[in-house]
Amino acid sequence: MKASKVKLIGRDFVNYGHYRLTVENATGETVDAVTGDTDLVTRLSSEDQKEREEAESEAVDFVLSAQG
């Protein structure tokens, strides 16, 4: 699956240090996974566009790999 066809559509606080990342895949279905990687979540809000894009790519990869 190409990363350009999937996108991060949400990140929601679950509890201390944990966030639910939600991705829309190429078929339009949404999948999610919970992460404790607060560095990743912080970088998703970076003012540096390159850093933010890299974090989004990592987040998508994480969610898709968690769906196994």
Side-chain angles (χ1 to χ4, degrees):
M1 187 177 307
K2 289 228 172 240
S4 61
K5 294 188 179 191
V6 295
K7 61 183 177 178
L8 181 68
I9 60 171
R11 63 179 176 271
D12 301 301
F13 179 75
V14 175
N15 62 27
Y16 182 77
H18 291 85
Y19 291 81
R20 180 178 315 281
L21 303 174
T22 306
V23 168
E24 183 177 285
N25 67 19
T27 62
E29 124 189 283
T30 59
V31 292
D32 59 27
V34 174
T35 184
D37 187 344
T38 55
D39 178 60
L40 173 60
V41 173
T42 301
R43 290 185 295 120
L44 289 169
S45 299
S46 174
E47 291 183 17
D48 180 353
Q49 182 177 353
K50 182 177 179 183
E51 182 177 26
R52 189 173 57 250
E53 289 172 355
E54 289 173 356
E56 287 177 8
S57 178
E58 286 179 42
V60 166
D61 290 344
F62 171 77
V63 173
L64 295 179
S65 68
Q67 297 305 304

